[in-house]
Amino acid sequence: MCSLNGYRCNSNDDEIPKNTKDSLIDIKVCRKCRIKDVDVLLLGQNGYCNMCFLTATNHKFRAALGKSKIIRHGDSILVDHSGELNSTVLLHLIKTGMNESTHKKLIFKTTVLYIDDALPNEITDEDRNSLQCKIAEQTKNFGFAYYIVSLSQVLNKDDTLDIRQFDNQLVKDNNDEQLHEILTNLPDNTSRTDLLEQLRRKLLLSAARKLNCNKVFVADSTMDIATKVLGNICLGRGAQLSTLATFCDTRCTDIKILKPMRDFTQQEMMYYSQCHSLNPIKSKKINVTTQPATSIQALTYNFIMGMESQFSSTISTIMRTAEKVSARNNKDNQDMENCVLCDASLDSVSSENNVTAMKAIEVSSLVSSKYFNARTSVTDKENESFSDKKSDRTSQCLSNNQKCCNNNSSQCGCMNGKMGQLTTEDVQKCLCYSCQLIFRNSNLLSRLPASLLFAVQQRLALKKMKEDISDFLI
């Protein structure tokens, strides 16, 4: 290993202090215009004056939209605004782009949606109403159309979503208690955080359809993407890495989720907000570096923050690597082969002939099961009893949310429609491996939203119909 103390450069020691002196001068002068003093110092190396920094930031944002060639004239964009720093900067960048000259002007319709994710017992109604008023006022100052919806609306069907414009009245929903109960009965904070993220994405897509928007902007920064990448690897979502890191999330066929802030660091957004005197309404929830991590997501955040403080390229390396890692995609995949919760390709169905990771998990689960020894000697009657216990059926009539299936009521929509009742196995077949882990050790049929259970029921009915008519197809 070379030693810095023994370093020599062809016996010419004058070159070393000269280069050092030049580098110090470069830090004091803007590296772009070479005239003004440095006001913004990024990563301890790149120094900019305020004007050049703002110009470079706006160019980075516009370049992200331009390089993808996804945004078209007349597109209707739904912006997910949380009131945090990321989304506040995103709204300001969009507003600035719309005020540019004709040939540089952003030409799409912008609608802002705030998802109220405050749960009961976490915040008082007064504080909740105050937060909603502040975010509404902030969005109004930007000049965008503003809508608000409660996160618990995701428990309803798409056609019953209550998305409204804010009128200074507290927006609550009757499903708030139900969502809180679902989250409370999950086994740990990791599962709760993962479920909330998936439900939020589902609600964004449903709201976009309701508001006639064909694309969605989310304010995920480089730090957010890196945290999700490492966290999702731990959660068994490794096949979704490229979807998380790329500019466009195309898991949904009719609506694309875009990430125009994916190249922005947290430091750049902080400097940008200071230059324009932007005041975020909320702070980031995952910022728990001073507390013990209670979930995989929080632990991942702490780990990346610690690595970034010592190695400044950690976050960008994670994100750029995730872009290049992708699973084999089957172009013929249909919606029936995707998870009903996260819309990713199903990986929970193992192959019968090939040796796969899912097959290994099934074998390991079988060996470690407490029923393994009993299965070799139980009678057929005991096997039937165990099977009935495992395949618990839902007691919900999914057509009208009335508990009538167990009573064999003649007015039960699902019985008259011959769709039958769902079992736990039916639902698990429509969930990917990681989404199944969310509901481990909990009652799956009572934890999934009714809209997802209805989607499972429709999928099974369509599959049965195809099997019935397959003999008549040429």
Side-chain angles (χ1 to χ4, degrees):
M1 182 179 292
C2 62
S3 173
L4 292 178
N5 295 330
Y7 178 79
R8 293 292 184 269
C9 183
N10 295 329
S11 300
N12 188 358
D13 297 337
D14 295 336
E15 292 294 328
I16 299 176
K18 182 178 178 181
N19 293 337
T20 304
K21 184 177 181 180
D22 290 342
S23 63
L24 293 176
I25 294 175
D26 291 341
I27 293 178
K28 295 180 181 179
V29 179
C30 175
R31 70 187 299 265
K32 186 69 175 178
C33 65
R34 298 289 182 177
I35 298 175
K36 297 182 180 180
D37 293 337
V38 170
D39 297 315
V40 177
L41 187 62
L42 300 177
L43 302 177
Q45 296 292 332
N46 300 331
Y48 298 90
C49 63
N50 285 333
M51 184 63 66
C52 292
F53 169 73
L54 295 177
T55 302
T57 303
N58 280 278
H59 175 73
K60 180 185 290 189
F61 174 72
R62 298 176 65 86
L65 299 180
K67 287 189 297 185
S68 66
K69 298 182 180 180
I70 297 177
I71 307 297
R72 303 293 186 212
H73 177 72
D75 278 344
S76 183
I77 308 296
L78 182 67
V79 180
D80 177 23
H81 181 45
S82 63
E84 298 175 359
L85 174 65
N86 298 20
S87 57
T88 303
V89 171
L90 175 59
L91 287 183
H92 192 274
L93 286 169
I94 296 175
K95 183 64 177 178
T96 303
M98 290 183 172
N99 294 333
E100 293 283 354
S101 57
T102 304
H103 69 286
K104 293 183 178 180
K105 188 175 182 179
L106 297 179
I107 46 176
F108 52 77
K109 179 183 177 182
T110 303
T111 303
V112 178
L113 177 70
Y114 170 63
I115 298 179
D116 182 19
D117 55 359
L119 298 175
N121 303 326
E122 286 188 357
I123 185 173
T124 62
D125 289 346
E126 292 78 9
D127 293 339
R128 189 175 180 180
N129 188 28
S130 175
L131 179 62
Q132 293 177 2
C133 291
K134 289 179 181 178
I135 293 180
E137 182 180 359
Q138 183 189 59
T139 309
K140 183 179 179 180
N141 293 335
F142 284 122
F144 296 123
Y146 173 70
Y147 292 87
I148 185 172
V149 64
S150 175
L151 180 61
S152 57
Q153 282 284 315
V154 75
L155 301 180
N156 299 332
K157 295 181 182 178
D158 291 353
D159 55 355
T160 60
L161 284 180
D162 183 18
I163 304 176
R164 66 184 76 171
Q165 290 186 326
F166 187 68
D167 55 358
N168 295 325
Q169 299 295 325
L170 177 62
V171 176
K172 294 182 66 176
D173 190 76
N174 296 329
N175 293 329
D176 286 350
E177 292 291 344
Q178 181 183 354
L179 179 60
H180 179 68
E181 182 182 357
I182 291 175
L183 296 173
T184 302
N185 291 325
L186 290 180
D188 48 51
N189 287 336
T190 298
S191 300
R192 297 185 191 100
T193 304
D194 196 10
L195 179 60
L196 283 175
E197 184 176 342
Q198 302 305 328
L199 292 181
R200 185 183 183 90
R201 179 183 170 277
K202 279 286 185 184
L203 184 58
L204 271 176
L205 295 174
S206 299
R209 296 186 187 98
K210 187 83 171 180
L211 299 174
N212 298 320
C213 298
N214 58 344
K215 295 179 178 68
V216 177
F217 276 4
V218 294
D220 289 348
S221 64
T222 307
M223 179 64 192
D224 298 323
I225 293 175
T227 302
K228 290 180 181 180
V229 164
L230 288 189
N232 283 1
I233 290 176
C234 300
L235 296 175
R237 300 186 187 273
Q240 304 175 26
L241 294 189
S242 60
T243 302
L244 291 171
T246 52
F247 175 78
C248 180
D249 184 346
T250 57
R251 281 179 285 180
C252 183
T253 56
D254 57 334
I255 297 176
K256 295 180 175 62
I257 299 179
L258 309 180
K259 300 180 278 288
M261 304 288 291
R262 61 186 291 272
D263 293 321
F264 283 74
T265 65
Q266 205 70 16
Q267 191 182 25
E268 287 175 326
M269 289 185 293
M270 290 178 62
Y271 277 125
Y272 186 91
S273 63
Q274 291 175 7
C275 292
H276 289 286
S277 300
L278 302 178
N279 297 316
I281 306 300
K282 295 168 60 178
S283 58
K284 203 168 186 62
K285 287 185 176 181
I286 201 171
N287 188 8
V288 290
T289 53
T290 59
Q291 303 176 3
T294 58
S295 67
I296 289 178
Q297 293 86 348
L299 183 63
T300 304
Y301 178 84
N302 292 346
F303 171 74
I304 293 179
M305 286 295 292
M307 291 291 293
E308 180 71 12
S309 63
Q310 301 179 39
F311 307 98
S312 58
S313 61
T314 298
I315 293 179
S316 60
T317 301
I318 294 174
M319 192 185 74
R320 302 304 175 192
T321 304
E323 282 182 310
K324 300 175 177 61
V325 178
S326 61
R328 294 179 179 177
N329 293 325
N330 185 1
K331 295 181 180 180
D332 297 331
N333 271 3
Q334 301 176 356
D335 291 340
M336 289 185 63
E337 298 175 353
N338 294 335
C339 175
V340 294
L341 181 57
C342 68
D343 292 326
S345 298
L346 283 177
D347 56 2
S348 57
V349 180
S350 61
S351 174
E352 295 181 359
N353 300 323
N354 300 328
V355 178
T356 62
M358 286 306 304
K359 196 68 176 180
I361 292 174
E362 289 180 1
V363 172
S364 177
S365 176
L366 180 64
V367 171
S368 59
S369 174
K370 63 181 180 180
Y371 298 105
F372 176 73
N373 294 330
R375 285 181 179 179
T376 58
S377 57
V378 293
T379 62
D380 294 340
K381 182 177 180 180
E382 289 172 332
N383 272 328
E384 182 179 358
S385 175
F386 174 75
S387 177
D388 292 340
K389 180 180 180 181
K390 183 178 180 181
S391 301
D392 294 333
R393 296 181 179 272
T394 176
S395 60
Q396 269 191 325
C397 173
L398 299 178
S399 62
N400 55 12
N401 270 349
Q402 293 181 359
K403 296 182 178 180
C404 55
C405 293
N406 287 348
N407 299 328
N408 294 326
S409 173
S410 60
Q411 298 179 354
C412 175
C414 61
M415 293 297 290
N416 292 337
K418 298 182 180 180
M419 296 179 70
Q421 295 172 304
L422 289 177
T423 66
T424 302
E425 289 183 4
D426 292 335
V427 180
Q428 286 180 340
K429 291 178 181 179
C430 298
L431 293 175
C432 66
Y433 170 71
S434 184
C435 289
Q436 289 181 15
L437 291 182
I438 296 177
F439 305 99
R440 64 188 183 278
N441 301 327
S442 62
N443 187 353
L444 178 64
L445 295 175
S446 62
R447 299 293 172 258
L448 275 178
S451 58
L452 295 184
L453 292 176
F454 186 75
V456 173
Q457 210 172 32
Q458 286 183 318
R459 181 177 297 188
L460 294 176
L462 181 59
K463 183 178 180 181
K464 185 178 185 303
M465 181 186 68
K466 287 184 177 181
E467 292 176 353
D468 293 340
I469 67 175
S470 61
D471 296 335
F472 301 96
L473 299 177
I474 299 178

